[in-house]
Amino acid sequence: LAKTTQPISMDSYEGQEVNITCSHNNIATNDYITWYQQFPSQGPRFIIQGYKTKVTNEVASLFIPADRKSSTLSLPRVSLSDTAVYYCLVGPHSGGYQKVTFGTGTKLQVIP
Amino acid sequence: GAVVSQHPSWVICKSGTSVKIECRSLDFQATTMFWYRQFPKQSLMLMATSNEGSKATYEQGVEKDKFLINHASLTLSTLTVTSAHPEDSSFYICSARVGAGRGDGDQPQHFGDGTRLSIL
């Protein structure tokens, strides 16, 4: 399983763009990169997933360089409700079975 | 779509009691479900992988006789904490993944909202 490394915590003011980078140097060819958001006492919520280049949805963008050894989650114009822990996951794919390991995550604190 | 429901959301019970937690995929079939445990201010720790119709695969250090997992159908997996003790108090979270071996390997896991277990 690919190990991921993220900053433990980040602070940002409301309205700013936040970029959280994740390192995954030993990512495998079939691995996908997935980001989740978790609020206290809740299960993780899927944000975005990608394999290479750039992926964008209604809440975030995911940038993945050509070597795929890192990825960056970009949250545009954060609000107080974006205060949460963000996890970067890299998972193997084999016959549809995907087992992943959660890293430490990044605790994002949005400041008024 | 892709909703995972977990029940109960919170349970308090006496030491020695067995507690069952249910995990259901409401609008999709999940051949594989995962069970995690999370202590305060820590990350999720994978306990076991639950496969429909077969025995669960436990992670190293997780007692299979302590944490019984049953995946009887494509939409339901249960975790039973047997003879629970205060050290078993934790936040238990399940997840399920859409599809299996049908070219949909890029489907992410979808998580339930967790079960807070408190053993007195």
Side-chain angles (χ1 to χ4, degrees):
Chain A
L1 297 175
K3 181 180 177 180
T4 59
T5 303
Q6 304 174 232
I8 297 295
S9 64
M10 294 179 69
D11 291 339
S12 176
Y13 288 103
E14 268 191 298
Q16 290 190 330
E17 178 185 74
V18 171
N19 295 309
I20 306 174
T21 298
C22 178
S23 296
H24 28 80
N25 291 319
N26 58 340
I27 187 170
T29 302
N30 289 337
D31 283 349
Y32 283 80
I33 301 159
T34 311
W35 286 80
Y36 288 88
Q37 174 192 58
Q38 187 183 28
F39 297 111
S41 297
Q42 294 186 25
R45 183 175 73 93
F46 171 79
I47 300 174
I48 197 166
Q49 184 180 60
Y51 184 79
K52 61 181 179 181
T53 64
K54 176 183 175 182
V55 180
T56 298
N57 62 22
E58 62 274 10
V59 297
S61 294
L62 178 59
F63 299 92
I64 305 170
D67 65 6
R68 303 200 327 123
K69 293 183 183 300
S70 67
S71 59
T72 299
L73 173 71
S74 181
L75 304 173
R77 297 181 298 281
V78 294
S79 63
L80 295 176
S81 62
D82 293 317
T83 294
V85 178
Y86 292 82
Y87 292 98
C88 160
L89 273 67
V90 176
H93 165 53
S94 176
Y97 165 70
Q98 184 183 39
K99 169 180 166 179
V100 296
T101 300
F102 278 78
T104 58
T106 298
K107 185 174 182 179
L108 173 65
Q109 180 69 52
V110 180
I111 306 166
Chain B
V3 176
V4 175
S5 174
Q6 203 170 327
H7 178 80
S9 58
W10 192 17
V11 59
I12 302 174
C13 59
K14 295 181 179 180
S15 183
T17 305
S18 292
V19 179
K20 179 184 284 188
I21 302 170
E22 292 187 348
C23 179
R24 294 181 184 273
S25 55
L26 296 186
D27 50 0
F28 65 99
Q29 293 184 332
T31 304
T32 303
M33 292 185 175
F34 304 90
W35 287 95
Y36 296 84
R37 183 174 180 175
Q38 186 175 33
F39 291 106
K41 299 187 185 302
Q42 294 188 22
S43 184
L44 282 75
M45 181 190 76
L46 180 64
M47 298 176 66
T49 302
S50 170
N51 296 297
E52 187 267 337
S54 64
K55 291 183 178 180
T57 302
Y58 291 82
E59 295 301 301
Q60 190 173 8
V62 178
E63 301 175 56
K64 58 181 66 177
D65 294 331
K66 174 75 172 177
F67 300 99
L68 301 179
I69 293 173
N70 182 274
H71 194 153
S73 76
L74 287 172
T75 60
L76 173 64
S77 176
T78 61
L79 167 68
T80 301
V81 183
T82 62
S83 187
H85 292 285
E87 58 266 27
D88 298 321
S89 298
S90 188
F91 191 51
Y92 292 87
I93 308 171
C94 72
S95 73
R97 192 170 158 274
V98 175
R102 293 195 295 270
D104 48 11
D106 59 345
Q107 294 294 323
Q109 291 183 38
H110 297 277
F111 289 82
D113 275 337
T115 297
R116 176 76 56 193
L117 176 62
S118 296
I119 309 298
L120 304 178

